[in-house]
Amino acid sequence: MPELPEVETTRRGLLPHLVGRRVRAVVVRQPQLRWPIAAELVAQLPGQRIEAVERRAKYLLVHTRVGSALLHLGMSGSLRVLPERTPAGPHDHVDWRLDDHRLLRLTDPRRFGCELWQAPGTVHELLRGLGPEPLGEDFDGDVLWLRSRGRRSAVKVFIMDQAVVVGVGNIYASEALFVAGIAPRRPAGQVSRERYLRLARAIQQVLLQAIECGGTTLRDFGAPDGARGYFVQELAVYGRAGQPCRNCGTTIRHCVLGGRATYYCPRCQR
């Protein structure tokens, strides 16, 4: 599933092609994705100028004067800017036709993505209750430490809770805990403030590095220009069970926490 770095890579790739462009028409071939395509998208978006493209957690918000389109890539979706006459394939569900004779196309084989609508001055229900952005000014180790008090869940499960901090998905949670030297199964409430300060910095470091690399391509993800992310080459623990730790040589182990595959070094992480 595309995580924060993949969505941020998509946002940055789309930005120069969308901002300032006017949407001429919206063509919907498959109206039922994870939820039905918002009727407002078809009724209100045509004729509007795109003012900004923002990311909130793993969602993209495309802002116009009359409202914002709320997009999610689901498990295998992608957004591409293509020439207007590009033939549609079987999984090309929605096109936005732009005023420069190109189009923004949502491709989503599994149909777990979405194209919804947020009215001006409102916050869509999917965005309510989300925690701070990990790369924003209101996130640091103190936020994690304060929110972890009394929590018995594993620290890896804790930092993947979107109400605690958004966008720290499975891959990046494993990698950040390795960088911070924290065992993923340690109860969140038993991690010290000092170690949470280190973990917050590790989360930011890992996410920024992944964005710089264009994300982590494991199956379906690709940037808007079709390029593949190469952070997978930088992974220290994720997917490396049975291989030696690059720091100490100890065999990387695997377990399941919160229903998600988890990788760690039993020597480097305590």
Side-chain angles (χ1 to χ4, degrees):
M1 178 182 293
E3 298 186 10
L4 185 152
E6 289 77 36
V7 179
E8 179 62 19
T9 297
T10 297
R11 186 194 74 83
R12 294 183 183 189
L14 294 176
L15 205 61
H17 302 291
L18 295 187
V19 173
R21 299 264 64 91
R22 200 169 292 276
V23 180
R24 291 171 37 237
V26 175
V27 177
V28 177
R29 300 183 189 86
Q30 172 52 261
Q32 181 66 51
L33 301 179
R34 185 172 184 181
W35 299 283
I37 299 291
E40 297 92 337
L41 200 78
V42 178
Q44 298 190 44
L45 191 57
Q48 296 302 315
R49 179 182 175 274
I50 295 172
E51 298 176 347
V53 181
E54 180 188 7
R55 180 191 53 76
R56 178 68 172 114
K58 299 178 187 179
Y59 294 91
L60 289 173
L61 285 156
V62 182
H63 297 296
T64 74
R65 183 182 58 82
V66 298
S68 304
L70 180 69
L71 311 179
H72 194 283
L73 299 178
M75 295 184 69
S76 59
S78 63
L79 290 164
R80 301 278 195 275
V81 176
L82 302 166
E84 189 173 42
R85 295 181 181 273
T86 303
H91 305 301
D92 295 337
H93 302 314
V94 183
D95 287 350
W96 296 8
R97 293 183 178 171
L98 306 174
D99 62 356
D100 61 353
H101 302 290
R102 293 187 296 172
L103 55 83
L104 175 67
R105 173 166 288 169
L106 173 67
T107 303
D108 188 0
R110 301 183 195 180
R111 289 169 50 191
F112 286 150
C114 70
E115 292 207 11
L116 303 174
W117 189 257
Q118 178 176 278
T122 68
V123 176
H124 195 280
E125 61 181 347
L126 291 174
L127 304 183
R128 295 174 197 156
L130 291 177
E133 289 285 333
L135 301 178
E137 294 181 357
D138 55 349
F139 173 75
D140 58 21
D142 283 331
V143 168
L144 293 178
W145 184 73
L146 288 170
R147 296 187 179 198
S148 69
R149 297 305 84 193
R151 299 282 285 261
R152 297 189 212 176
S153 60
V155 64
K156 178 171 179 277
V157 175
F158 169 69
I159 63 173
M160 290 179 63
D161 183 344
Q162 298 297 289
V164 173
V165 56
V166 301
V168 185
N170 194 38
I171 297 171
Y172 303 107
S174 286
E175 292 295 304
L177 286 165
F178 174 77
V179 172
I182 300 172
R185 285 190 279 209
R186 181 175 290 276
Q190 294 181 17
V191 177
S192 69
R193 178 178 178 271
E194 180 182 355
R195 299 187 88 195
Y196 271 124
L197 293 173
R198 198 157 65 233
L199 178 56
R201 290 193 295 268
I203 287 170
Q204 293 168 334
Q205 173 189 326
V206 167
L207 291 175
L208 287 170
Q209 186 181 4
I211 292 168
E212 185 68 23
C213 292
T216 305
T217 298
L218 294 179
R219 289 186 182 175
D220 305 296
F221 172 74
D225 61 359
R228 312 298 282 176
Y230 58 92
F231 187 68
V232 66
Q233 299 170 16
E234 308 295 325
L235 296 176
V237 290
Y238 187 87
R240 299 189 64 243
Q243 299 179 45
C245 172
R246 290 171 177 158
N247 280 356
C248 70
T250 302
T251 300
I252 299 296
R253 293 184 185 175
H254 165 266
C255 67
V256 177
L257 293 173
R260 306 301 299 274
T262 301
Y263 301 87
Y264 64 99
C265 173
R267 184 173 180 181
C268 293
Q269 296 174 252
R270 302 286 181 171

